[in-house]
Each structure stands twice: as structure tokens, then as C-alpha cells.
Amino acid sequence: MVAGHLREKRGYYHIVLSYTDENGKRQTPSKTTGLPVKGNKKRAEAMLREAQRSMEDELKRRAEERTSTKPTDPSDILFSQFMLDWLDMMKNSVEVTTYASYALGIQNRIVPYFQTHHPNLHLRDVTPKHIQDYYTYEMKENGVSANTVIHRHANIRKALQYAFKTELIASNPADKIERPKKIKFEGSICNAAELAQLFEIVKGDPVELGVILAAFYGLRRSEIVGLKWSAIDFERKTITIRHIVTELSLDGKYQMIEKDRTKTKSSYRTLPLVPPFEELLIRLKEQQEANRKLCGKSYCEKYHEYVYVNQIGELVKPRYLTQHFPALVQKNGMRKIRFHDLRHSCASLLFANGVSMKEIQEWLGHSNISTTANIYTHLDFNSKIACANAIQSVFPAQAQHEPSAFVP
């Protein structure tokens, strides 16, 4: 269906259409009606309806054209078209967040590359070199990271595995690929002094609540935005992480996805409600009630269950945190810090204060301790220093000289 509306521009009506084309991309063409705004609304609306009908007919014609030229033998399908068909099939088989991730890589990167560099490449003729060349191109020409290429490889391999299972191809060429080496992620960590400075900088700013929840509780962005008042137990002094809100781009538009479950089973956790944060929540609750009365019918009631809303009741968007936070930090003369680095800083402070890796795992909500250890192995260096000092104390040289403590 082709949607549309009229836009007033420089005193004239303009027609704006909105539809998804044959490649799954959102199109919003605009053209003038040539009609002045004054006294021509009905004529402009009639032109809008005609433009919508005309575009619907055009899209239908294109679809029929593609159907008539579609090969009768499934093995004759072009590789780029197969990837789009597989993506369309996955739309109803995976969660919308997963589908959006697939679509981002396939529609915007993989398919355009093969349509440009190998426009006549059939599915049955795809070789490991075709795929390997694509990865090399992305890394050399577009500066794509090794980790991103590994994600793209997962998409291509999964699609080709489906082709193999359905006997469209004799084997999966993606199985013979040399994937680039994964780059180990190491987040930046704020020390106690930097966190204290941060708390001062964000005081009174809309990002304040997010910073506290990320730095003290180590919450993920989706957990922060998804926090509901029902998750706060002021009597038992607990905060339960059980609801998330994510944001994704689909068909060129951002969408908010609300889920009554966390990223993993282990992410569902209950943490203590400490007095400073409890006081902040009480102030927020009072402020929200005041804003509701002040705004009246203009106040957004859709998100009344949520803690993190703005002055008119709208839910704070996840990307606002990641975009606004670093700008605020740099504006106040601090070094570059990403919002997610606050979660790493939380883990660092916990470890520095004697909290075990197992306890950190449970606090952060990781599914297993290996995830925690792989990300925060650098936190264990203090224990290595203790070992070095212990070994140094038994060296023969200690009979002549007192061993000096090893410091990093």
C-alpha cells in the first residue's frame, strides 16, 4: 500500500508518497502539485489520491514483471536475489531485533556488493573466492572491522546452509572461508575520581539517571530505559531487572521494541536499592507527578509505567544516552568515554573492592562466568602482582637484600 500526504512548501501544495520498493527500501518521493495553498485543498487531495493509485499500479507492474522473469528452476536464481528471498523468509522466523540485524547487513551491504561486482552470479555458481573477495573488499575499501565481517559471514553462511539443506546447492561454499581474526574487545574504564567528576557533570541533566544506573548497577542501556516502577520495591529495598526496551532501524525508520524479558535468563536479577538511588527515584516520582499535572492532557500517558521519561512523559530513547552522553563529557573537558564504558567501570570498581569474578558475573547479569572473564580478564592483574611479590620473596638474593615490592 502506498501512503501519502500533502505538504505546504513556499505557498504551494506538494505531494509526498511513502512506500517500500522492490528491494525492500523505504521510498518517500515528493513533487509539487503546482497549486497554491489558498483555495485548492480539495484539488490537491484529488491529485494526491491519483498519485497514490498510479504508484500502486507501478509497483504492481514491477512485481508482475519480476514474477514473469523468475526462473522456473530454483537453482537458476541469482545469488543476490536468493539472499533477499532468504531474508524475507526469516522475517517471520526470528525476533524483529534479529531480523533488523540481518536486514541491515544483507540489504545495505551484501546484496549491493554482489549486484555491482557480480550482477549475473547464480546461486549454484557461488564459490568460496566470491565470498572471500567480498570480505576483503569490505575491510580494505570500506574500512569494515573484522568483527563486522564475521557477523556478515554468519548471515551468508546461514543462508547458504538453508540452500544446501533444500538441495539448491551441492555444498556450502561459506564453510571453506578463512574468517578474519576476531578483535578482542576491551572497554575503557573510569576510575573512582573520574566517576565522581562524572556524577557532578550530569547532575540535573536528563542523562543523570542513566549514568547512575550504568556506573553503579552496571545496567545495560536496554535495561536502563526498560526500568519500570513495578520493578522497584521500596519496602524490601530491591530493584529487579526484568524488562528491556531496545531501539532498531527497520526500513529506514527507528522503532522502539518493548520486551517483558531480559537479554538472557541470567540477565533477570534482583539488586539492592541503595539509599542515594532510592532518594533519586523518590524525587523522580514526585517530579513526574508534578509534570503530569502541569502538562494536563498534553502529558504522554503511554509510558506512565516507566521510570525513565522526559518532562512530557515520553520514554527516553536508548540512542539518546549513547549520543548525548559523550557530547556532554567532552563539553566538560573530560576524555572520550562511551556510555557503555560505565558498565565496564562498574565491574572494575567491584573487582578493586574485593568482589569475586563470580559475584561480578551475577551483578552484571552475564549468562556464564566465561563471558565475564573474557571481557574483564585485565581486572585480575592485581592478583598477579601479589603472586609476583610472593615469588620474589623466596629468591636466594633475599638473604642479602630485602625484596622490593613489585609495582606495575
Side-chain angles (χ1 to χ4, degrees):
M1 180 179 178
V2 177
H5 65 275
L6 293 173
R7 176 190 296 160
E8 296 180 14
K9 187 176 181 181
R10 298 195 182 109
Y12 287 85
Y13 279 118
H14 284 247
I15 292 172
V16 181
L17 300 180
S18 179
Y19 60 90
T20 302
D21 66 15
E22 58 271 27
N23 295 317
K25 292 185 177 180
R26 176 63 61 181
Q27 302 292 343
T28 55
S30 172
K31 68 175 183 178
T32 181
T33 63
L35 300 173
V37 171
K38 189 173 181 179
N40 288 298
K41 185 174 183 180
K42 288 187 176 180
R43 290 178 63 192
E45 288 174 343
M47 291 180 69
L48 170 61
R49 289 192 294 271
E50 179 58 32
Q52 288 176 288
R53 282 194 295 268
S54 178
M55 181 51 68
E56 285 174 354
D57 290 342
E58 172 63 16
L59 292 174
K60 185 178 180 181
R61 184 191 65 77
R62 293 179 194 175
E64 290 173 349
E65 196 175 81
R66 290 198 309 275
T67 303
S68 64
T69 58
K70 193 172 182 179
T72 54
D73 185 349
S75 65
D76 285 338
I77 189 173
L78 294 177
F79 175 62
S80 56
Q81 185 58 51
F82 166 75
M83 290 299 297
L84 290 173
D85 289 346
W86 178 81
L87 177 64
D88 189 53
M89 180 189 71
M90 295 302 292
K91 194 169 188 176
N92 297 318
S93 303
V94 296
E95 288 196 28
V96 64
T97 49
T98 304
Y99 172 78
S101 176
Y102 287 170
L104 184 64
I106 293 173
Q107 291 178 343
N108 297 349
R109 295 293 187 176
I110 298 172
V111 167
Y113 169 85
F114 282 95
Q115 286 178 337
T116 301
H117 295 84
H118 303 286
N120 299 313
L121 178 65
H122 289 85
L123 171 63
R124 64 172 182 268
D125 297 326
V126 176
T127 66
K129 189 175 187 307
H130 285 123
I131 303 172
Q132 199 82 61
D133 286 347
Y134 164 63
Y135 298 158
T136 302
Y137 175 86
E138 285 283 43
M139 295 180 75
K140 284 188 175 181
E141 300 298 326
N142 294 330
V144 171
S145 70
N147 291 358
T148 298
V149 167
I150 291 172
H151 283 300
R152 302 264 175 84
H153 172 73
N155 294 160
I156 292 175
R157 187 191 176 282
K158 188 171 183 178
L160 290 176
Q161 191 62 20
Y162 170 78
F164 171 64
K165 286 182 178 179
T166 53
E167 299 182 351
L168 294 176
I169 53 178
S171 63
N172 187 343
D175 286 337
K176 301 174 183 178
I177 296 297
E178 287 293 331
R179 298 189 308 166
K181 186 177 179 181
K182 186 173 183 179
I183 301 171
K184 186 177 179 181
F185 171 78
E186 286 190 10
S188 178
I189 291 176
C190 299
N191 57 36
E194 286 178 315
L195 285 177
Q197 185 180 355
L198 267 178
F199 292 147
E200 284 299 317
I201 288 172
V202 302
K203 191 171 291 184
D205 190 273
V207 82
E208 180 182 12
L209 177 63
V211 169
I212 293 173
L213 285 169
F216 182 81
Y217 285 103
L219 299 194
R220 301 175 178 92
R221 187 181 64 167
S222 60
E223 296 169 342
I224 293 169
V225 179
L227 188 63
K228 291 185 175 183
W229 288 111
S230 59
I232 313 296
D233 192 327
F234 289 101
E235 290 185 8
R236 292 191 175 89
K237 309 297 181 187
T238 61
I239 170 174
T240 303
I241 312 305
R242 58 181 173 225
H243 185 86
I244 62 173
V245 172
T246 56
E247 192 175 21
L248 54 84
S249 176
L250 194 59
D251 296 330
K253 290 186 177 181
Y254 280 101
Q255 297 182 24
M256 302 276 276
I257 307 297
E258 303 170 48
K259 294 182 182 178
D260 281 319
R261 57 185 175 80
T262 49
K263 183 180 178 181
T264 64
K265 186 177 180 181
S266 300
S267 297
Y268 182 100
R269 59 203 187 278
T270 298
L271 303 171
L273 180 61
V274 295
F277 185 58
E278 181 181 6
E279 292 169 8
L280 174 60
L281 285 173
I282 292 172
R283 290 200 305 272
L284 282 173
K285 189 77 169 173
E286 293 172 349
Q287 186 62 54
Q288 285 181 20
E289 290 302 322
N291 290 337
R292 181 179 282 106
K293 292 178 181 178
L294 181 65
C295 295
K297 292 182 179 179
S298 299
Y299 192 83
C300 177
E301 296 291 349
K302 182 179 179 181
Y303 302 106
H304 71 276
E305 295 180 288
Y306 289 89
V307 173
Y308 213 169
V309 297
N310 62 19
Q311 292 178 328
I312 59 173
E314 296 173 334
L315 189 65
V316 171
K317 292 179 173 59
R319 61 193 159 104
Y320 172 80
L321 296 177
T322 48
Q323 292 174 355
H324 179 65
F325 174 73
L328 184 64
V329 167
Q330 286 190 303
K331 181 182 176 182
N332 284 273
M334 291 189 69
R335 66 181 176 87
K336 185 178 180 181
I337 305 169
R338 302 174 316 150
F339 184 79
H340 194 70
D341 290 334
L342 298 176
R343 179 168 158 88
H344 300 308
S345 302
C346 171
S348 176
L349 286 176
L350 289 173
F351 192 86
N353 284 277
V355 180
S356 71
M357 200 66 80
K358 178 65 177 174
E359 290 169 319
I360 294 175
Q361 172 209 340
E362 294 173 352
W363 184 271
L364 296 179
H366 285 151
S367 56
N368 55 68
I369 197 168
S370 63
T371 303
T372 313
N374 288 338
I375 297 175
Y376 303 113
T377 46
H378 58 287
L379 301 181
D380 201 27
F381 193 67
N382 286 336
S383 62
K384 292 177 180 139
I385 293 174
C387 292
N389 288 332
I391 294 171
Q392 186 182 205
S393 68
V394 297
F395 275 8
Q398 66 109 12
Q400 300 173 3
H401 305 284
E402 285 296 321
S404 58
F406 175 77
V407 292

